[in-house]
Amino acid sequence: MTAYFVLSTGRCGTQWLADTLQLWSDNFVVRHEPLHFQYRPDLNSPTTPLAQNTELLKSHLDFIRQQIAQGYTYIETGFPCWRHLDWFKQHLDRVKVLHIHRDPLQSVESLLKLNAFVPPFLPHLPIKNLYLPADEQDLLQQHKALWPELNPAEKNLWYWAEVQHQALRYQQHWPKADWLSLSFSELFSAKSQQQLADFLESPTTSYWPVQQKVDQFGLAMQPQPLEFPRLCQFDQIARLAQRLGYASPWPDNS
């Protein structure tokens, strides 16, 4: 049997996807962010996946193995596991990845609604860091000294770029049949439904929505205009966006 993991920045419909896929088959064990931030994507990385919460991660791996041994297909959606996919691949018989990507500016706007990388009102509360630059594989690792100077929008865009960069690194050495990339804008389409059903080897595609799900935070207070005064000098981000089919985050400089 197979273990499936969604690779995304979050805010890409993964909660809805978990709820939907659970209806497709009684043989699916679907979990949405089962460890949440305890994956520690800010401190763990592809080269050091067990730097933090080692025993918890090993216990989670054992849980996945148990589901597979019992004949179930394990599916994990969400975002915090994106740094651990190589580690899972090393310890499980077969791992398939569903890479869901979204327009960079839409991602930044949506993440800011959840206060990602935004300093809290009370200084004793932690910042919601979804990522911190450290790993040598990172796209912008050579610029990590700049990180403390960035505004929240810039940090969210940097995070978006690192997730996509890591996805493309994984994809280079992943079996083609075990990788599926879908854009968020097409996730709810009939075409994506069929692609996903084939990928999951599922004969059932019932309960698919007839229209795109509305962002549940769509009525939340809109963030300030997005500004990238420091990141706009990094053409790696623009090239990465264009490689995935999106416009440059700063079209005037593309």
Side-chain angles (χ1 to χ4, degrees):
M1 302 302 291
T2 304
Y4 292 84
F5 295 88
V6 169
L7 193 171
S8 81
T9 59
R11 309 301 297 138
C12 293
T14 57
Q15 176 66 70
W16 166 86
L17 185 64
D19 294 343
T20 300
L21 294 182
Q22 190 63 79
L23 299 173
W24 277 17
S25 174
D26 292 336
N27 196 54
F28 287 173
V29 174
V30 186
R31 296 291 182 270
H32 177 72
E33 299 177 8
L35 300 187
H36 202 46
F37 286 114
Q38 294 183 89
Y39 266 113
R40 295 309 306 265
D42 55 336
L43 299 178
N44 288 327
S45 72
T47 56
T48 57
L50 300 180
Q52 299 287 323
N53 293 343
T54 303
E55 295 307 315
L56 179 64
L57 286 161
K58 289 181 177 179
S59 177
H60 183 49
L61 177 64
D62 287 340
F63 170 79
I64 297 171
R65 284 172 168 159
Q66 290 170 8
Q67 306 313 303
I68 294 173
Q70 294 172 25
Y72 292 107
T73 294
Y74 179 80
I75 304 173
E76 184 167 320
T77 70
F79 73 93
C81 67
W82 69 281
R83 309 277 265 176
H84 287 82
L85 298 185
D86 259 341
W87 181 69
F88 283 125
K89 188 169 181 280
Q90 293 167 9
H91 292 88
L92 297 169
D93 290 338
R94 190 178 188 188
V95 171
K96 289 189 173 187
V97 175
L98 171 61
H99 174 209
I100 303 178
H101 51 84
R102 187 177 185 181
D103 177 273
L105 295 185
Q106 291 181 7
S107 297
V108 170
E109 289 175 344
S110 190
L111 288 163
L112 284 172
K113 292 176 184 178
L114 300 185
N115 294 319
F117 301 104
V118 176
F121 289 114
L122 300 177
H124 67 278
L125 296 176
I127 296 178
K128 189 182 292 185
N129 288 317
L130 310 184
Y131 159 86
L132 291 173
D135 196 275
E136 292 182 358
Q137 295 183 1
D138 290 352
L139 177 68
L140 302 175
Q141 193 274 342
Q142 69 271 30
H143 303 294
K144 65 181 180 180
L146 187 63
W147 181 265
E149 302 176 24
L150 303 182
N151 65 44
E154 289 179 300
K155 289 183 177 180
N156 275 288
L157 182 59
W158 185 318
Y159 162 66
W160 176 91
E162 294 296 352
V163 172
Q164 312 313 323
H165 172 68
Q166 185 59 50
L168 296 177
R169 285 182 62 93
Y170 285 140
Q171 190 176 7
Q172 288 177 354
H173 59 85
W174 221 274
K176 187 176 181 179
D178 294 347
W179 189 279
L180 176 63
S181 294
L182 296 174
S183 69
F184 172 75
S185 63
E186 299 176 349
L187 181 61
F188 305 91
S189 68
K191 179 181 178 182
S192 292
Q193 168 187 345
Q194 191 57 58
Q195 286 179 295
L196 190 54
D198 294 342
F199 189 60
L200 296 172
E201 302 176 6
S202 171
T204 303
T205 58
S206 303
Y207 308 102
W208 202 259
V210 295
Q211 61 183 8
Q212 182 167 321
K213 182 178 176 67
V214 175
D215 185 344
Q216 65 174 322
F217 291 91
L219 299 179
M221 182 181 295
Q222 292 296 316
Q224 296 297 316
L226 303 182
E227 297 179 347
F228 308 99
R230 299 167 185 83
L231 285 198
C232 66
Q233 64 183 297
F234 300 148
D235 60 357
Q236 300 101 311
I237 298 178
R239 292 199 304 267
L240 184 59
Q242 291 163 352
R243 185 174 176 182
L244 291 169
Y246 303 109
S248 167
W250 32 85
D252 291 341
N253 296 328
S254 60

